């Protein structure tokens, strides 16, 4: 099975969430990603724009319209296009952008889950298509394009999310997107300054995609229990350290992060009912801050060299 690169593209493939009714959920999802960059996603948007221009220059697209993207998919589906090589474009240029905080993007998405509109969001289907592509022994241009045509429209390709997915597919076909987790060093996400490093709990994902807590192998279910017990015991002093080998499958990396954040959110919901007799989503700003201070998300994520 192929591995996902630790990049904004990989994040988007895993954060299949829907949002407010008056805005396309895909736009909200993109904002989560863009706002996780210090430059607000300017550099990444420039790369996406360059990719689109190269599609026009290389005659894959007539112009930047959604209709032109649908026409391209139809040609791919009908086997009129078999070579997706671009003359002048490096897909790995994305990795040269300042590191995206995956965790920050995830937390942003979790917060937006308060207003769900599942009927408007096609990202779940998109995720399924990409999972099939990544798990297949041989990547099929026809299968990929036909699958997208079954649920995407020209209007969808006015949105960055679907253009990025096509960018990623081109990169895979051209073997220009490397596997594995490319980020090096560590990233801290802190909601409070009351955490205690000496009381931290350590989660490690090895090259075989096995999860360990304090050197003991655990399942995802046990991970949830361990994190829950740890948070209840340490509350505001909680500090979670997540370390992984570079060869870890991106799916496993995201699964562990989502599991930890979900467990903390569950504790917040329970505390909301107990303390304020209200659902977490119904709390006012002051009440939310009180709950978050009891169960903060203080996490350090890093790679083992």
């Amino acid at each position: 099975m192929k591995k996902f690169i630790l990049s904004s593209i990989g994040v988007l493939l895993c954060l299949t969430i829907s949002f407010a009714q008056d805005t396309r959920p895909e736009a909200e999802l993109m904002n989560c990603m863009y706002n996780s960059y210090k430059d607000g996603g300017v550099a990444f948007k420039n790369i996406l724009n360059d990719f689109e221009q190269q599609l026009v220059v290389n005659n894959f697209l007539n112009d930047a319209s959604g209709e032109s993207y649908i026409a391209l998919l139809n040609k791919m589906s009908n086997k009129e296009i078999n070579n997706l090589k671009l003359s002048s474009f490096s897909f790995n240029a994305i990795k040269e952008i300042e590191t995206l905080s995956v965790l920050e993007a995830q937390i942003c998405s979790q917060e937006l889950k308060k207003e769900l509109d599942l009927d408007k969001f096609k990202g779940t289907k998109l995720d399924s298509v990409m999972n099939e592509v990544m798990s297949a022994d041989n990547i099929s241009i026809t299968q990929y394009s036909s699958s997208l045509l079954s649920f995407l429209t020209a209007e969808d390709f006015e949105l960055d999310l679907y253009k990025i997915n096509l960018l990623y597919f081109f990169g895979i076909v051209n073997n220009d997107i490397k596997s594995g987790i490319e980020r090096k060093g560590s990233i801290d996400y802190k909601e409070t300054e009351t955490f205690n490093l000496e009381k931290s709990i350590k989660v490690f994902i090895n090259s075989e995609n096995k999860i360990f807590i304090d050197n003991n192998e655990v399942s995802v279910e046990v991970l949830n229990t361990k994190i829950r017990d740890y948070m209840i015991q340490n509350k505001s002093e909680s500090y979670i350290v997540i370390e992984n080998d570079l060869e870890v499958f991106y799916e496993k990396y995201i699964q562990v992060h989502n599991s930890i954040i979900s467990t903390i959110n569950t504790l917040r919901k329970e505390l909301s009912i107990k303390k304020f007799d209200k659902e977490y989503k119904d709390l006012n700003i002051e009440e939310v801050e009180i709950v978050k201070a009891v169960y903060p998300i203080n996490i350090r994520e890093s790679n083992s060299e």
Side-chain angles (χ1 to χ4, degrees), residues 203-212 242-246 248-249 252-254 256-257 304:
V203 180
F204 177 66
I205 316 170
N206 71 7
S207 58
E208 297 178 349
N209 298 292
K210 295 180 179 179
I211 307 169
F212 294 82
I242 307 174
E243 186 176 354
N244 57 267
D245 284 333
L246 291 174
V248 167
F249 283 163
K252 179 60 68 174
Y253 173 89
I254 288 295
V256 169
H257 279 67
S304 58

Side-chain angles (χ1 to χ4, degrees), residues 170-303:
F170 265 65
I172 296 172
V173 171
N174 286 290
N175 293 316
D176 205 9
I177 289 183
K178 297 178 182 179
S179 63
I181 294 181
E182 296 288 336
R183 172 186 50 73
K184 295 183 179 180
S186 61
I187 299 176
D188 287 298
Y189 185 92
K190 302 172 184 175
E191 288 186 337
T192 69
E193 296 296 331
T194 60
F195 58 86
N196 189 332
L197 287 173
E198 294 182 356
K199 294 183 178 180
S200 64
I201 185 171
K202 297 176 177 61
V203 180
F204 177 66
I205 316 170
N206 71 7
S207 58
E208 297 178 349
N209 298 292
K210 295 180 179 179
I211 307 169
F212 294 82
I213 291 185
D214 296 329
N215 298 317
N216 296 310
E217 185 178 352
V218 298
S219 63
V220 172
E221 293 73 23
V222 173
L223 170 67
N224 292 339
T225 301
K226 293 284 188 181
I227 294 296
R228 179 183 175 86
D229 292 344
Y230 168 78
M231 294 294 299
I232 291 175
Q233 179 179 351
N234 293 278
K235 293 186 170 63
S236 64
E237 293 187 313
S238 299
Y239 190 64
I240 302 169
V241 177
I242 307 174
E243 186 176 354
N244 57 267
D245 284 333
L246 291 174
E247 296 82 5
V248 167
F249 283 163
Y250 194 80
E251 299 99 314
K252 179 60 68 174
Y253 173 89
I254 288 295
Q255 181 187 36
V256 169
H257 279 67
N258 281 341
S259 177
I260 291 172
I261 294 172
S262 178
T263 298
I264 296 174
N265 281 337
T266 296
L267 287 170
R268 289 177 172 180
K269 292 175 183 177
E270 293 174 359
L271 181 60
S272 300
I273 296 295
K274 182 178 180 180
K275 190 174 185 64
F276 299 107
D277 196 28
K278 290 192 291 186
E279 296 287 341
Y280 182 68
K281 64 183 179 66
D282 297 325
L283 299 182
N284 59 40
I285 296 176
E286 182 179 344
E287 291 167 338
V288 167
E289 291 305 314
I290 291 173
V291 171
K292 289 170 69 173
V294 177
Y295 293 122
I297 297 177
N298 293 326
I299 296 178
R300 163 168 288 192
E301 48 181 339
S302 63
N303 286 342

Side-chain angles (χ1 to χ4, degrees), residues 1-203:
M1 184 176 186
K2 304 173 187 67
K3 304 168 189 173
F4 280 102
I5 177 177
L6 178 55
S7 68
S8 42
I9 299 173
V11 175
L12 292 172
L13 292 177
C14 296
L15 296 179
T16 51
I17 300 170
S18 47
F19 304 101
Q21 296 182 359
D22 58 349
T23 304
R24 281 291 296 264
E26 293 89 340
E28 295 285 359
L29 179 59
M30 290 306 304
N31 285 336
C32 275
M33 188 200 83
Y34 288 146
N35 290 335
S36 296
Y37 287 110
K38 287 186 177 180
D39 68 350
V42 172
F44 189 91
K45 291 176 185 178
N46 288 338
I47 289 177
L48 181 58
N49 183 61
D50 184 33
F51 170 68
E52 188 169 68
Q53 291 179 358
Q54 284 298 315
L55 289 178
V56 174
V57 169
N58 286 269
N59 297 316
F60 288 108
L61 296 178
N62 292 324
D63 51 45
S65 67
E67 288 81 3
S68 190
Y69 276 92
I70 291 297
L72 169 60
L73 289 178
N74 275 310
K75 290 180 181 178
M76 291 165 62
S77 177
N78 295 328
K79 299 183 179 180
E80 296 175 38
I81 296 178
N82 295 310
N83 185 353
L84 301 183
K85 191 69 177 177
L86 295 177
S87 60
S88 178
F89 185 81
S90 173
F91 297 90
N92 284 309
I94 295 171
K95 294 184 301 190
E96 298 175 6
I97 304 175
E98 186 173 0
T99 303
L100 167 81
S101 173
V102 177
L103 193 57
E104 187 172 335
Q106 286 178 303
I107 292 170
C108 169
S109 300
Q110 290 278 352
E111 288 296 315
L112 289 170
K113 274 178 135 181
K114 295 176 183 177
E115 298 181 59
L116 297 178
D117 186 5
L118 294 172
D119 293 335
K120 281 192 174 185
F121 190 53
K122 299 180 180 180
T124 303
K125 291 182 179 178
L126 185 68
D127 187 49
S128 296
V129 170
M130 291 309 296
N131 281 338
E132 290 179 7
V133 168
M134 297 304 295
S135 60
D137 292 331
N138 297 304
I139 296 174
S140 170
I141 295 175
T142 301
Q143 180 184 354
Y144 167 79
S145 52
S146 297
S147 296
L148 291 192
L149 286 169
S150 70
F151 64 91
L152 292 182
T153 65
E155 181 182 0
D156 294 323
F157 275 102
E158 301 295 336
L159 301 168
D160 285 357
L161 175 62
Y162 300 109
K163 294 179 181 179
I164 286 174
N165 184 269
L166 190 64
L167 184 160
Y168 188 52
F169 184 75
F170 265 65
I172 296 172
V173 171
N174 286 290
N175 293 316
D176 205 9
I177 289 183
K178 297 178 182 179
S179 63
I181 294 181
E182 296 288 336
R183 172 186 50 73
K184 295 183 179 180
S186 61
I187 299 176
D188 287 298
Y189 185 92
K190 302 172 184 175
E191 288 186 337
T192 69
E193 296 296 331
T194 60
F195 58 86
N196 189 332
L197 287 173
E198 294 182 356
K199 294 183 178 180
S200 64
I201 185 171
K202 297 176 177 61
V203 180

